[in-house]
Amino acid sequence: SLAQGEHAAYAEASHIAQDCVSQVQAGRPAAAARNFVDYWCGVGEWARMADHVRVRIERAIPSVARQWEAIFADTTPLADYARLRMPTLLLAGDHGPITARRVTELLAGVVPHAVHRVIVGAGHMAPVTHAAPVNAAITAHLAGPHSGVSAAA
């Protein structure tokens, strides 16, 4: 059962997903890409992007639409993720959309070997905008006690 704020976050993400899918199906990849980028990266970010970046995103947006369809069709109960036994790193930016942050929080609460890290000042595009702390978190996770590699190596 979702709390009231989670219902609102789900509705928000669902709206963005439905818009992306319908815009792609209607042959409007630029509109789908603009709405997607402005949701995940901040309003106005699409307008600030270089033309060549926008073109690349427009080309990729049909794949993004298919991913949205798969995500919203998935009915795996959250509790099922408790069966995962591998070390898992969950990263989120503290400035990203609540939907992404909440997914990592929920998973951290059920995945037994999960490490949850929040990248301060980062949004959804943290691997691009905050590469150094993201890479440091991944490196530390990969060299953690589960890896068989000494952290001092």
Side-chain angles (χ1 to χ4, degrees):
S1 176
L2 298 175
Q4 182 178 356
E6 291 169 340
H7 279 290
Y10 180 86
E12 182 178 271
S14 178
H15 172 75
I16 293 299
Q18 290 170 1
D19 176 75
C20 183
V21 171
S22 64
Q23 295 283 13
V24 166
Q25 289 173 344
R28 295 188 296 267
R34 181 192 65 239
N35 295 342
F36 180 85
V37 167
D38 281 355
Y39 174 73
W40 288 105
C41 300
V43 174
E45 191 58 35
W46 179 256
R48 288 187 285 277
M49 289 182 163
D51 288 342
H52 74 277
V53 174
R54 284 193 290 234
V55 167
R56 289 179 61 194
I57 294 171
E58 285 179 40
R59 286 183 187 148
I61 206 72
S63 175
V64 171
R66 288 189 300 276
Q67 291 168 21
W68 275 118
E69 290 175 311
I71 288 167
F72 280 91
D74 185 1
T75 59
T76 306
L78 181 62
D80 284 4
Y81 291 95
R83 295 186 301 192
L84 297 176
R85 296 291 175 237
M86 74 289 280
T88 304
L89 176 62
L90 301 165
L91 291 177
D94 67 348
H95 285 71
I98 186 66
T99 50
R101 293 191 320 255
R102 191 63 184 132
V103 166
T104 60
E105 292 167 0
L106 290 168
L107 287 170
V110 297
V111 176
H113 303 288
V115 173
H116 184 231
R117 299 277 184 254
V118 176
I119 306 296
V120 176
H124 183 69
M125 296 301 294
V128 175
T129 63
H130 291 70
V134 168
N135 290 339
I138 292 170
T139 300
H141 182 73
L142 292 174
H146 57 271
S147 70
V149 175
S150 170

